[in-house]
């Protein structure tokens, strides 16, 4: 019998669970709101119990979290401000409920792995995946391995040059105020302009400013990690007009310094949307599961 895998895209507002093997072989999928840990994890476990033959479950989660399999708190959400979820042993709860191995990582590392296997990063050893939505996070592969380290990257929390005359909005990160996430995540757009981003016209100055902050951040990531490609996902990037703006500004801010034809002449193929679209999240969880569970 073919091995089946489980995947959980664990988000701050909803959970998406799937059973299957590859993107065109998803046997079942369900989604439900993220409520209390007991209720939410109970629903997830009940969904997977219906299926025989699941050999591992991948969990691509919101964070911060502990992704180190050697750590006693592997599988835990750590310091999230989300009520009730700090220090929750998400991975352990699923592992104990189902009796199969789990693979636990950030939602952005999961999405990056799915894009590497089936999407816009196939064949690359070094790339990053950024999600720009309710928050901003980044993951990816470096030298063919998922980005881990002391804990995991927090690319949304880098500081940026902030011109207070041009943009008096103070930012809304509870830790840093005007970090990248504080200035450029979806809730910051809504708060700064007084209406949610999707209600702003495509030629509103909000998008020029948003692209400015994203391009400043991309310059940092390009200069530090030298990614071969950058994938931009998340709800804010549904504003397609952002892509050409971000590409132009990234080129402008690098100012010809990085002598790569990819950046100088093929930026359209360098800064791209996810090949898997909004499916990158749950497929990322399935891809994580497949790092284990073949034995
Ligand atoms: Zn921050």
């Amino acid at each position: 019998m073919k091995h089946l895998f489980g995947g959980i895209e664990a988000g701050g507002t909803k959970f998406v669970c799937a059973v299957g093997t590859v993107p065109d072989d998803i046997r079942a999928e369900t989604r439900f709101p993220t409520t209390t840990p007991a209720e939410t994890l109970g629903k997830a476990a009940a969904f997977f119990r219906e299926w025989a033959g699941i050999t591992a479950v991948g969990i691509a989660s919101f964070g911060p979290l502990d992704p180190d399999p050697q750590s006693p708190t592997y599988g835990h959400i750590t310091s999230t401000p989300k009520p009730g979820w700090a220090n929750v042993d998400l991975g352990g709860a699923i592992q104990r409920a189902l009796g199969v191995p789990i693979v636990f990582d950030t939602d952005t590392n999961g999405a990056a792995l799915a894009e590497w296997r089936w999407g816009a990063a196939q064949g690359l050893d070094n790339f990053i995946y950024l999600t720009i939505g309710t928050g901003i996070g980044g993951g990816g592969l470096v030298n063919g391995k998922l980005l881990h380290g002391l804990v995991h990257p927090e690319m949304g929390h880098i500081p940026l040059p902030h011109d207070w005359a041009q943009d008096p909005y103070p930012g809304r990160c509870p830790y840093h105020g005007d970090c990248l996430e504080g200035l450029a995540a979806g809730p910051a757009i809504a708060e700064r302009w007084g209406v949610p981003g999707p209600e702003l016209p495509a030629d509103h100055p909000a998008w020029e400013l948003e692209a400015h902050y994203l391009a400043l951040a991309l310059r940092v990531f390009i200069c530090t990690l030298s990614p071969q490609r950058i994938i931009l996902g998340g709800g804010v990037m549904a504003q397609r007009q952002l892509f050409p703006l971000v590409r132009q500004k990234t080129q402008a801010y690098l100012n010809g310094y990085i002598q790569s034809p990819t950046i100088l002449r093929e930026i359209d193929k360098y800064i791209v949307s996810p090949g898997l679209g909004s499916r990158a999240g749950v497929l990322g969880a399935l891809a994580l599961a497949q790092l284990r569970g073949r034995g």
Side-chain angles (χ1 to χ4, degrees), residues 26 45 121 155 172 209 223-224 242 245 277 285 290:
I26 302 300
M155 297 186 199
R172 54 173 290 129
L209 184 66
C223 291
T224 50
L242 280 171
L245 292 172
Q290 293 175 30

Side-chain angles (χ1 to χ4, degrees), residues 48-126:
F48 290 115
R49 275 201 202 95
E50 304 279 312
W51 291 85
I54 292 178
T55 53
V57 175
I59 305 170
S61 179
F62 70 99
L65 53 78
D66 184 347
D68 175 6
Q70 307 306 319
S71 161
T73 52
Y74 176 58
H76 288 228
I77 306 277
T78 54
S79 57
T80 180
K82 189 170 173 57
W85 284 86
N87 305 310
V88 163
D89 183 8
L90 200 171
I94 294 297
Q95 194 268 323
R96 286 189 293 274
L98 301 174
V100 297
I102 58 111
V103 180
F104 187 70
D105 211 323
T106 61
D107 44 10
T108 49
N109 265 349
L113 189 63
E115 288 290 323
W116 177 77
R117 285 205 56 187
W118 304 302
Q122 293 177 58
L124 302 181
D125 288 331
N126 294 279

